[in-house]
Amino acid sequence: MRALTRREFIALGATALVVAAGGGVMRVRLQPAPTPNAPSLPSPTPGSSAFKYPATSLPLPLWITAPEDLYTVQYDQPPSVSLTSWSLTIHGMVRNSLRLTFDELRALPAESRMHTLECIGNPAGGSLIGNLEWRGAALRDLLIRAGVEPQAKYATLGGVDEYFTSVPVERVMHERALLAYEMNGQPLPTQHGFPVRILLPGVYGQKQPKWLTGIKLTDTEDLGPWEKKGWSREATIQLNSGIKFPTEANPVPRGDVLIVGVAHAGEAGVHAVEISTDGGATWHDTILTRGPSPEVWTQWGYRFENPAPGRYTLLVRAIDRQGNSQAHLAGGILGEVFPHGTSAIHSVVIQVRET
Ligand SMILES: Nc1nc2c(c(=O)[nH]1)N[C@H]1C(S)=C(S)[C@@H](COP(=O)(O)O)O[C@H]1N2
Ligand SMILES: [Mo]
């Protein structure tokens, strides 16, 4: 396990975690983390928090979010874009600027990808996350065609709504970076970026403009509206996980209880997910269902065998493939998402009924 940063150490509190000099974690006592004053993102609309997948057996299938259940976040009103006027320009530090109409983009070889979208403002276990099947054109091929100049270090990505953000060139050159025009086999709905949005592995939604019209290669980083408000400039996905079933609101009948959820580690990839049913005193391995690439979310499930009636505090923690583990409890309602997103542990209290 890696050493804690100073910020994480403060978040943990003095009694929370004692790291042995030789490396291993001796004892974990989880404490809520303080919530700093965070500028909130513009009114996100959460997707349906009720995941519509009854868990009857393990391993779980990999969940695909329905478009109507995907959360939405935007800076301004969703613009309605006409296909005839839309075009995408790739310009700046390239040998040949490109301008593509929608028909030209659709005529390129199409690729399908599963891609998990998560907002940097998603609190631990929150619903600002979804996983869908997307279809579109490989961005890398177009950038190679345009001929990116060696001095280009960033790509500024802009949408019709005047939203923009900047990412290092390697992000847009990623082999799975996609110019997507379909989600789950349907054209993108207006609020999710019709006609075209960019999908980039490993970063939060903030770095993936909808209604995309421009990709400018530059040697300087352009801070977009949310970066200017202090949100992360890198917006790399933090290791996170959530319990989706059972929920606090719905007591469960006696018998085995299937506890299920998602874990997301971005490009680091999920190695394991552990669950506690006793408030963090003991931890158990869960059964995983992985996506087709590391940055897709992982489904996890655990059979809690015939617990006695009563209340149980469930905690979930993910471990990524470098051995980093989630280590502190979410604090406050916002769950300390500002400014980098959160890696805080999700906790729910469930009730097992007498009958
Ligand atoms: N053009 C544009 N793209 C955008 C945004 C925006 O405000 N304008 N918001 C971003 C943020 S913060 C997130 S989390 C995702 C949300 O995508 P969704 O609404 O399709 O779920 O879109 C991103 N792309
Ligand atoms: Mo976001």
Side-chain angles (χ1 to χ4, degrees):
M1 186 177 291
R2 85 201 148 101
L4 296 170
T5 63
R6 187 175 152 73
R7 189 177 150 268
E8 286 165 319
F9 184 76
I10 292 166
L12 280 160
T15 59
L17 184 61
V18 184
V19 181
V25 172
M26 284 165 58
R27 178 175 169 74
V28 182
R29 269 194 54 220
L30 295 154
Q31 301 276 308
T35 305
N37 292 328
S40 57
L41 289 170
S43 53
T45 315
S48 158
S49 53
F51 272 60
K52 292 169 186 157
Y53 306 90
T56 51
S57 63
L58 301 178
L60 297 169
L62 195 69
W63 294 338
I64 302 293
T65 308
E68 60 275 20
D69 292 339
L70 180 65
Y71 75 93
T72 56
V73 180
Q74 58 260 329
Y75 174 70
D76 212 335
Q77 290 301 308
S80 96
V81 181
S82 100
L83 275 186
T84 46
S85 64
W86 182 88
S87 69
L88 172 68
T89 312
I90 300 179
H91 61 123
M93 292 179 161
V94 291
R95 280 191 294 282
N96 324 294
S97 297
L98 299 179
R99 187 175 161 274
L100 288 110
T101 64
F102 187 69
D103 287 345
E104 287 166 340
L105 186 74
R106 289 232 34 158
L108 297 172
E111 304 207 358
S112 294
R113 300 223 196 307
M114 201 181 282
H115 178 87
T116 301
L117 203 59
E118 180 170 13
C119 182
I120 196 165
N122 194 28
S127 55
L128 304 182
I129 184 169
N131 180 51
L132 293 91
E133 299 270 11
W134 308 81
R135 194 169 169 78
L139 176 53
R140 188 186 160 85
D141 294 349
L142 276 176
L143 291 172
I144 289 171
R145 210 214 281 179
V148 176
E149 305 276 8
Q151 66 271 33
K153 296 284 175 278
Y154 296 93
T156 302
L157 313 169
V160 176
D161 60 343
E162 297 184 0
Y163 180 74
F164 68 94
T165 188
S166 181
V167 294
V169 161
E170 304 78 63
R171 291 273 178 214
V172 284
M173 289 298 279
H174 192 288
E175 59 176 350
R176 287 190 289 281
L178 197 69
L179 298 172
Y181 43 73
E182 279 182 13
M183 55 199 270
N184 291 6
Q186 300 296 319
L188 300 184
T190 299
Q191 73 271 30
H192 293 301
F194 180 87
V196 175
R197 71 185 299 167
I198 192 168
L199 299 178
L200 301 175
V203 283
Y204 284 114
Q206 176 189 340
K207 294 292 177 182
Q208 305 179 59
K210 306 185 265 190
W211 315 289
L212 184 76
T213 49
I215 300 177
K216 183 182 176 195
L217 283 300
T218 72
D219 56 2
T220 49
E221 182 185 6
D222 290 322
L223 299 187
W226 289 343
E227 289 86 8
K228 282 192 191 129
K229 285 187 180 165
W231 287 92
S232 174
R233 283 156 65 168
E234 294 79 27
T236 312
I237 301 284
Q238 305 290 303
L239 179 59
N240 69 88
S241 58
I243 298 162
K244 296 298 177 191
F245 284 129
T247 58
E248 303 219 344
N250 296 299
V252 292
R254 277 207 76 160
D256 288 0
V257 179
L258 285 189
I259 304 169
V260 301
V262 298
H264 191 200
E267 289 183 287
V270 172
H271 168 70
V273 178
E274 296 173 342
I275 178 106
S276 173
T277 56
D278 54 13
T282 59
W283 293 85
H284 312 276
D285 274 338
T286 65
I287 296 174
L288 304 186
T289 307
R290 295 171 191 287
S293 61
E295 67 274 5
V296 168
W297 73 13
T298 296
Q299 244 60 67
W300 59 264
Y302 174 74
R303 183 178 296 275
F304 187 15
E305 282 176 20
N306 199 23
R311 285 156 67 81
Y312 295 87
T313 300
L314 310 182
L315 270 56
V316 62
R317 68 181 181 199
I319 297 138
D320 73 17
R321 295 188 304 182
Q322 280 122 44
N324 303 306
S325 174
Q326 291 179 259
H328 64 274
L329 265 186
I333 292 169
L334 265 179
E336 51 152 271
V337 294
F338 182 77
H340 296 294
T342 186
S343 192
I345 284 179
H346 186 217
S347 164
V348 298
V349 178
I350 64 157
Q351 176 107 32
V352 178
R353 296 199 312 248
E354 295 281 347
T355 52

